[in-house]
Amino acid sequence: RRLLQVVLDWLPFTVVLMFDDSSRSLADTMGMPLHEQDTERAERWLFGGVDPTLWLQAHFYSPLHVHWYDALATLIYTSHFVVTPLLAAVLWLRERRLWLRYISRVIVLSFAGLITYILFPEAPPWLAARDGYLPPVARLSARGWEYLHAGFAHRLLIAGQTGGSNPVAAMPSLHFAFSLLAAMFVAGLLRSRWRRLVYLYPAAMGLTLVYTGEHYVLDLAFGALYALGVHLALNRCERWWGRRRLRRATRVRLDAPAELTPAG
């Protein structure tokens, strides 16, 4: 029974991963146009003619030298694949009620993002540059493993990016959305006055995604809207469900027959 409970609890993660693998083919089947130039123009308009990815790479990227902050950016980027399942595992081991609250947000956010990828496939900066809509943009998310002399991790991440992910799943940025969701959930559990420091994680993730050419700032903005929308909507649903259960429990107590007491 315990093994069956584990399988049923973690099955949604498998479903999300399977749906993610098929999102590109579904978009192609539906004939949805790939958004490249329009997003790039909107990004430059938003920043007064400056593309943040190009600006960051012009000031910090060196083709011939891997810096320490390249390694830090790679670690932050890779943490996306660890933080969400790790936080879910910790909550599952400690208190299943909290795990259900968190995993429901992860699942709803995942499907909201994946459906958007099907209806609005968008090329990230590195791909738009490769297709000629931007000056050259280096894809730097795996580069930091060279600084850390972790060749296996470098090859593993590259293989996952080239063969195991949807390259036009940029809008919204689920990398940023999940980091913000984790920060909001953890901050809500803490009582320390330092709890807001957890928001440094999504801030670092956002800067990393733009610098490494993985996302536009617009992708981050929509990722934040998706995460906030899902979190607030499920908060409201949980409050409604809690009030409903309370009313039902109260009604049961009121309808229960009074206990008979022996006469004195």
Side-chain angles (χ1 to χ4, degrees):
R1 291 173 58 186
R2 182 67 171 172
L3 179 60
L4 179 61
Q5 184 68 62
V6 172
V7 172
L8 293 176
D9 282 349
W10 292 93
L11 183 62
F13 268 125
T14 306
V15 175
V16 168
L17 291 174
M18 292 172 61
F19 192 63
D20 184 31
D21 288 339
S22 62
S23 60
R24 176 64 189 274
S25 60
L26 288 173
D28 292 341
T29 302
M30 295 176 64
M32 305 306 294
L34 178 60
H35 296 270
E36 293 186 278
Q37 190 174 22
D38 53 351
T39 310
E40 190 274 330
R41 286 177 175 175
E43 182 89 343
R44 282 192 291 110
W45 175 84
L46 185 64
F47 289 94
V50 177
D51 187 291
T53 295
L54 293 175
W55 188 92
L56 286 171
Q57 292 199 2
H59 286 79
F60 296 101
Y61 167 57
S62 174
L64 302 178
H65 182 69
V66 183
H67 299 279
W68 64 267
Y69 49 79
D70 292 318
L72 181 60
T74 293
L75 291 175
I76 294 172
Y77 177 84
T78 308
S79 71
H80 163 77
F81 306 103
V82 178
V83 169
T84 295
L86 180 60
L87 178 57
V90 170
L91 293 173
W92 187 79
L93 291 171
R94 291 181 63 88
E95 186 175 349
R96 194 168 182 273
R97 180 185 62 84
L98 289 176
W99 175 83
L100 284 171
R101 291 189 63 220
Y102 181 63
I103 204 67
S104 61
R105 285 156 174 75
V106 170
I107 293 171
V108 173
L109 179 58
S110 298
F111 276 106
L114 294 174
I115 290 171
T116 307
Y117 297 157
I118 295 172
L119 300 178
F120 192 90
E122 179 203 283
W126 66 266
L127 184 56
R130 192 191 69 180
D131 292 343
Y133 295 104
L134 273 173
V137 171
R139 192 178 190 184
L140 307 177
S141 49
R143 192 171 187 250
W145 291 122
E146 299 176 18
Y147 184 90
L148 299 171
H149 305 288
F152 173 76
H154 182 267
R155 292 190 296 272
L156 185 64
L157 183 54
I158 291 294
Q161 289 178 329
T162 55
S165 64
N166 184 352
V168 294
M171 172 72 79
S173 170
L174 285 186
H175 267 74
F176 185 72
F178 280 129
S179 67
L180 181 58
L181 177 64
M184 289 190 295
F185 200 85
V186 171
L189 299 177
L190 299 177
R191 294 295 176 264
S192 170
R193 62 177 179 175
W194 304 104
R195 64 184 181 276
R196 291 183 178 84
L197 290 178
V198 298
Y199 289 102
L200 291 176
Y201 175 56
M205 180 65 77
L207 180 61
T208 293
L209 294 171
V210 176
Y211 168 62
T212 57
E214 296 288 347
H215 284 283
Y216 295 104
V217 175
L218 279 172
D219 302 334
L220 308 186
F222 277 90
L225 288 175
Y226 275 52
L228 283 168
V230 168
H231 186 58
L232 295 177
L234 288 183
N235 276 345
R236 191 167 186 176
C237 290
E238 288 161 356
R239 288 194 296 268
W240 171 82
W241 182 251
R243 290 193 298 267
R244 185 172 183 269
R245 292 185 63 184
L246 180 61
R247 287 195 299 268
R248 180 182 298 176
T250 303
R251 191 181 306 117
V252 169
R253 287 197 300 269
L254 292 175
D255 293 342
E259 293 185 2
L260 297 178
T261 58

